[in-house]
């Protein structure tokens, strides 16, 4: 038997309805705040991710699904969405019409990580990006939108963590201090961090190995090295969040795992996921668009781990499962022909109706109606044809009503079952 590839999953009927509801709530919120959906391809040239994410990140070095096509060009299944959104913004010269853009996208990403609870090799993200505005109000608004979304999804036990990663003006002094500390901590670092300490020392702060985290516990906070511009920006973000009533924690150890981040960075952490506590995160990437050969435009965004979100969402899956409004139990071929016609006409009227195409016994069909959790059953057999009335049964109250079998049967059924719709 052929089975799933390790690290991939099926989203089955019964579960997918909850995913659809999360998407609906997300889309509604984003569009209320002026975001427009963008749909990006799942494959890009490998160079896009190597340049944007950083050649010395774990994602590029270890986790990307990269392979040559038939012409030998390297292509990659997207490991994240921001780089693709930025590529699209540049390629289609969206900045020429209006440089300020708000995008959201929902879809699958791919990384060859060790599969664990809430983390898959094909995983799903909800992303939001704002391009063209450097004001700290935008930073605060994105965090506010993210906190609002989690509240609407009835997710509790969450905390907003924020930090500033500075800019090219203030990072060199911090890098010098951090490099000096790393030199003293060589004996305590893992092999990856020893390599990173010379190529990208800031990445050492993002290591998840407990020994490395302990060794770096007394690392100098980047906040102590911020230039006046970055310090003022971060202070304004904090004031605005306080004004919006969004509680937050200043997390001096918070470092996002991608090279393109600058200034404000943030995560939503929860105690509901064990050690994998982050359910969403993001930050500014003011230099990325220019780095990818576009105009010098500021930008900020976030990503939500959809798979993790589903595990902690307060919505009940059963509330969103779709069940038929009506099941038609037909006995005999003459009745089945009428039932089939009604099912199709009800579908055109927006009523989900089902029938037993095999035309089995009434007992079998009533069991099938129960399993489908249909709200009503319409029964038609030889005796109903003879009397000219089918029987409509309310499956909750067990009350029964006659429905005339004529040219208006579908209209009469709709009149009986629509007022009871929930």
């Amino acid at each position: 038997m052929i089975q799933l590839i390790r690290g991939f999953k099926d989203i089955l009927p019964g579960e997918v309805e909850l995913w659809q509801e999360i998407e609906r709530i997300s889309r509604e919120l984003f569009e209320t705040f002026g975001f427009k959906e963008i749909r990006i391809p799942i494959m890009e040239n490998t160079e896009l991710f190597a340049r944007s994410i950083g050649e010395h990140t774990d994602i590029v070095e270890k986790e990307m699904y990269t392979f040559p096509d038939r012409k030998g060009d390297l292509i990659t299944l997207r490991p994240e969405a921001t780089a693709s959104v930025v590529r699209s913004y540049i390629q289609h010269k969206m900045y020429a019409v209006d440089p300020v853009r708000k995008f959201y996208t929902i879809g699958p990403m791919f990384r060859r990580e060790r599969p664990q609870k809430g983390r898959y090799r094909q995983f799903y993200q909800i992303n939001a990006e704002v391009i063209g505005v450097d004001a700290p109000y935008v930073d605060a608004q994105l965090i506010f939108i993210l906190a609002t979304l989690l509240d609407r999804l009835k997710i509790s036990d969450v905390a907003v963590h924020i930090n500033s990663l500075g800019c090219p003006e203030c990072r060199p002094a911090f890098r010098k201090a951090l490099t000096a500390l790393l030199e003293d901590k060589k004996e305590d670092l893992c092999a990856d961090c020893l390599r990173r300490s010379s190529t990208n020392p800031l990445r050492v702060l993002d290591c998840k190995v407990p020994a490395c985290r302990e060794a770096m516990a007394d690392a100098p906070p980047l906040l102590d090295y911020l230039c006046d511009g970055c310090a003022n920006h971060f202070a304004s973000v904090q004031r605005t969040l306080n004004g919006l009533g969004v509680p937050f924690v200043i997390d001096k150890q918070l470092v996002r795992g991608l090279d393109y981040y600058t200034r404000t960075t943030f995560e939503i952490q929860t105690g509901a996921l064990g050690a994998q506590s982050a359910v969403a995160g993001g930050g500014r990437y003011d230099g990325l668009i220019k780095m990818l050969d576009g105009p010098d435009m500021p930008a900020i965004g976030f990503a939500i781990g959809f798979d993790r979100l589903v595990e902690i969402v307060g919505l009940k899956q059963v509330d969103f499962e779709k069940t038929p409004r009506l099941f038609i139990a037909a006995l005999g071929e003459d009745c089945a022909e009428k039932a089939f016609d009604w099912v199709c006409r009800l579908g055109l009227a927006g009523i989900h109706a089902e029938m037993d195409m095999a035309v089995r016994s009434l007992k079998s069909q009533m069991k099938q109606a129960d399993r489908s959790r249909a709200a009503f059953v319409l029964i038609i057999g030889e005796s109903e044809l003879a009397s000219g009335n089918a029987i409509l049964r309310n499956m909750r109250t067990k009350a029964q009503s006659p429905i005339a079998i004529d040219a208006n049967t579908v209209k009469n059924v709709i009149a009986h079952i629509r007022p009871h719709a929930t």
Side-chain angles (χ1 to χ4, degrees), residues 6-70:
R6 185 168 182 259
F8 290 69
K9 66 172 291 187
D10 296 315
I11 305 168
L12 303 177
E15 181 184 11
V16 76
E17 289 85 357
L18 178 59
W19 285 61
Q20 291 169 342
E21 179 63 11
I22 293 172
E23 289 183 20
R24 185 195 66 78
I25 292 171
S26 301
R27 292 177 194 276
E28 184 178 89
L29 179 62
F30 290 144
E31 290 173 9
T32 297
F33 279 88
F35 288 76
K36 297 184 184 299
E37 184 176 11
I38 182 172
R39 300 194 181 187
I40 47 179
I42 64 168
M43 288 195 297
E44 299 271 9
N45 289 314
T46 301
E47 181 187 8
L48 173 65
F49 302 115
R51 288 177 60 185
S52 60
I53 297 172
E55 293 185 3
H56 299 294
T57 59
D58 285 349
I59 294 175
V60 173
E61 289 183 335
K62 302 177 181 180
E63 298 170 359
M64 292 199 317
Y65 282 95
T66 297
F67 48 90
D69 66 9
R70 291 186 177 182

Side-chain angles (χ1 to χ4, degrees), residues 264-283:
T264 307
T265 186
F266 53 90
E267 273 189 358
I268 304 292
Q269 298 182 6
T270 173
L273 288 169
Q276 299 297 326
S277 61
V279 69

